[in-house]
Structures are given as C-alpha cells and as structure tokens.
C-alpha cells in the first residue's frame, strides 16, 4: 500500500515516530509536513531525535489564524493527493493539519485513518475539539487509544470502522523514558536537583491568549514553593511579551525560563520532576507513564483516566486550586491505562485490514 501521512506540529512528530517504523517495513509512506510548527525547537529536533524520516513534501504553511491556515493547507494538499495517489491518508491527533489532511482526502474519496480518534474534552470552545470531532466523522478508520474513546464514537454514531489500538505515545515513551531517566546530567545542567522541582508547560489558546489568565499563570509560578522549570512555547513567549509579563516572569525568584526543549531532555526533566503543571494533552499522559503527579491547568481533559486514578488533578487556571493540587499526595497504584507500547504495530495492522 501507499500511505500519505500528514503531520505538522510537535506532538504529531512524536506520534508519527511510533507508526512510521512498522509502517515502512511493509508499505510505502509519503510524509507531508504542513509546516504548522516550523521553529527548529518544535520541529527539526524531533525528526533528528526520534529517527522520523525526512518529509517528502514540506508545505511551509505555518502562519495565520486557524481558519486561514486550514484553508491554505487544504488548497496545497489537494494537488498533492492527486500526484501521490495514495491508497489511504494517515492523520494524527487534533490540529489544523489533522483536519486539513482528513478533509482533503475525504473530498477526493481517499480513505482516512485517524490515530487518536474518539478523544473528547466536550469543550467546543477549544479549536482542538472541533478538529477532533470533524476529523472523526470523515474518517474511514478510527484508531482509538482507549475503550472510552471508542464509546464516544459509538455515542456520536461515527460512520468509520472503530479499532482500539492503544496510545501510540506510549510506544515512544516506553523507548525514551528509560534512556532519559539515567540522564540526570540534563537536570543538573539547569541548576536543578532530581525530585526537587516543578516542570511547567502552557500553550493552549484558552490560557495564553487571555492576558488575565496568563497573569494568573505567572502568579502561580511565582508562588510555587519549589524551583520551577518553564520551557516556553513560542506562542506563549509572544503572548507574555504582548501582555508585558515577560520581565516579571524573568525576575521571578526560583523560576527558570527556557526555550522549548528537545524530546530526550524534556523527558529527562519530566521523569525527575516532583510535579508537572501543564495544559498539554501529551504531557499529562507522559507524566502518568513516568509516575509523576500532574496538575492540569484546564477545566477539562481528554485524558480523564489520569484524573480518575488520582495521578492528575484539574485546577483550571485557578492559582489556589493549582497550589493545593501540586501539594497533594498521589496513590500507590498506577494501572496500565493506555496500552502496552505496541499501538504503532496495531495501527499498521488495522490499516492493512481496511476494507474499501
Ligand atoms: N515536549 C518537548 N519539549 C518541550 C515541551 C514538550 O519535547 O519543551 C513534548 C512532550 O514530551 C510531548 C509533546 O511535546 O510529547 C507535547 O506537545 P504539546 O504540548 O505541544 O502538544 P499537546 O500534547 O498539548 O497537543
């Protein structure tokens, strides 16, 4: 088979790394990078570190509003689908690249396989939720990380074939976390000691585009009772500058502000953090897999199982709630929620059995 895979941003490079290897053992993959993330720190470093093959096509469509970006991607993908003539198109997660890849393929009658199908925050104000729902309903093959995701699709009456494959990020985490855990030098390089700091990430539009909420994030970091490492996403950096909060953050005692980190370095810092505070979907899961308590700076999450097991707490961007959640104890039990690390192989098997 010939598969055309569309990726565009940081978490998609991680997810594609789990599938590309097993896929290329038996099939041809044409990799398209939309350019949604274009900084070296958010893109190239993941290709280098995770052994993801070089993209065959780079669309360089990284700027503009969600709508404009999606529209330009659709326009660029249509002729590419014509010239590549794939048997199926593979998309990941919930970004503009996911929706554009899915819609462009479905419009041409090419079957779409969606990895991470069925995830829901039930919050339609999130651009990611719109992308997820729409992509699921135009996909022929819905590859779910969990049983709960497949139930969401059943409830919505999604037309495609649903297969629970497990979470592809687990495949990557299982490979990289043991290698990263031994790299305590990467923690010391930031002037930190293993187990004695909080790791923070934040970049969701709902948090950083609103200057009041962004101000609360800065207050939270100032008030945490332990050293903080905050690798700042470019979107967040721009909003901090625009809101006049960058200097205040830079001078906050105990807060180490840095650029976005490569996957190995970030994973080392995650594995040895005392607590993780984040609005990232992927980081919530990776914290669970590493056995690190998480505080989610959102009112909801797609990864509810991490909350139900007590390893994750929803604090929204409420400073008092987040501080209390960061100080809580976590349970001893940590059941396997997201599969056994072989999701990538199951994705390939499901694509092979696609009946069309
Ligand atoms: N990540 C990283 N360096 C960082 C921050 C995050 O390598 O400085 C990784 C993280 O381990 C996870 C992914 O990026 O695999 C999450 O990406 P992001 O938070 O941008 O997306 P989301 O998961 O929220 O869609």
């Amino acid at each position: 088979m010939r598969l055309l895979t569309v990726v565009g941003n940081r978490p998609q490079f991680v997810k594609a790394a789990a599938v590309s290897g097993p896929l290329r053992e038996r099939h041809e993959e044409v990799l398209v990078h939309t350019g949604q993330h274009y900084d070296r720190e958010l893109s190239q470093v993941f290709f280098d570190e995770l052994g993801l093959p070089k993209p065959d096509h780079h669309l360089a469509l990284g700027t503009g509003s969600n709508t404009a970006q999606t529209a330009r991607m659709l326009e660029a993908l249509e002729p590419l689908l014509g010239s590549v003539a794939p048997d199926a198109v593979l998309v990941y997660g919930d970004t503009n690249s996911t929706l554009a890849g899915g819609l462009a393929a479905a419009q041409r009658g090419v079957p779409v396989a969606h990895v991470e199908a069925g995830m829901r925050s039930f919050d339609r104000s999130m651009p990611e939720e719109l992308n997820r729902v729409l992509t699921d309903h135009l996909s022929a093959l819905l590859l779910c990380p969990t049983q709960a995701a497949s139930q969401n699709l059943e409830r919505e009456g999604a037309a495609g074939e649903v297969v629970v494959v497990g979470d592809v990020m687990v495949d990557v985490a299982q490979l990289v976390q043991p290698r990263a855990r031994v790299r305590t030098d990467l923690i010391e390089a930031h002037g930190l000691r293993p187990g004695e700091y909080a790791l923070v990430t934040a970049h969701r539009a709902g948090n950083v585009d609103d200057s009041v909420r962004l101000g609360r994030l800065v207050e939270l970091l100032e008030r945490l009772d332990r050293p903080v490492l905050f690798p700042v996403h470019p979107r967040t950096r721009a909003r901090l500058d625009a809101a006049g909060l960058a200097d205040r953050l830079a001078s906050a005692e105990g807060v180490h502000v840095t650029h976005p980190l490569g996957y190995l370095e970030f994973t080392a810092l995650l594995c040895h953090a005392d607590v993780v505070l984040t609005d990232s979907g992927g980081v919530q899961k990776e914290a669970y897999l590493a056995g690190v308590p998480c505080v989610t700076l959102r009112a909801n999450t797609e990864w509810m199982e991490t909350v139900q097991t007590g390893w994750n707490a929803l604090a929204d961007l409420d400073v008092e709630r987040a501080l209390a959640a960061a100080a809580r104890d976590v349970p001893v039990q940590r059941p396997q929620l997201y599969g056994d690390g072989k999701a990538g192989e199951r994705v390939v098997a499901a694509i092979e059995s696609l009946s069309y």
Side-chain angles (χ1 to χ4, degrees), residues 10-11 14 46 169 203-204 231 260-263 266 280-283 286:
R10 177 167 69 182
V14 178
F46 291 84
M169 284 183 100
H203 67 85
R204 292 261 96 74
L261 304 171
Y263 191 69
F266 184 80
S280 156
V283 175
E286 289 168 345

Side-chain angles (χ1 to χ4, degrees), residues 284-337:
Q284 291 173 56
K285 248 181 317 176
E286 289 168 345
Y288 182 83
L289 297 168
V292 176
C294 184
V295 179
T296 292
L297 305 173
R298 288 172 44 191
N300 49 54
T301 177
E302 307 77 60
W303 306 101
M304 268 317 289
E305 303 82 4
T306 58
V307 177
Q308 285 152 0
T309 51
W311 283 85
N312 189 6
L314 297 176
D316 203 350
L317 242 177
D318 179 316
V319 177
E320 304 303 333
R321 270 172 70 191
L323 290 172
R328 78 194 194 282
D329 292 326
V330 283
V332 179
Q333 299 286 340
R334 194 159 46 87
Q336 189 183 76
L337 297 176

Side-chain angles (χ1 to χ4, degrees), residues 9-12 14-15 37 41-42 45-46 49 94-95 116 128 132 169 199-204 231-233 258-267 270 278-286 298 302-303:
N9 78 353
R10 177 167 69 182
Q12 288 172 331
V14 178
K15 292 165 198 172
H37 277 172
E41 292 162 339
L42 293 189
V45 70
F46 291 84
E49 283 189 21
D94 54 22
T95 73
E116 217 174 75
E128 295 89 345
R132 284 180 200 122
M169 284 183 100
L199 179 65
V200 179
T201 79
H203 67 85
R204 292 261 96 74
V232 184
H233 190 283
T258 183
H259 53 81
L261 304 171
Y263 191 69
L264 182 76
E265 185 174 9
F266 184 80
T267 304
L270 174 106
T278 189
D279 63 11
S280 156
V283 175
Q284 291 173 56
K285 248 181 317 176
E286 289 168 345
R298 288 172 44 191
E302 307 77 60
W303 306 101

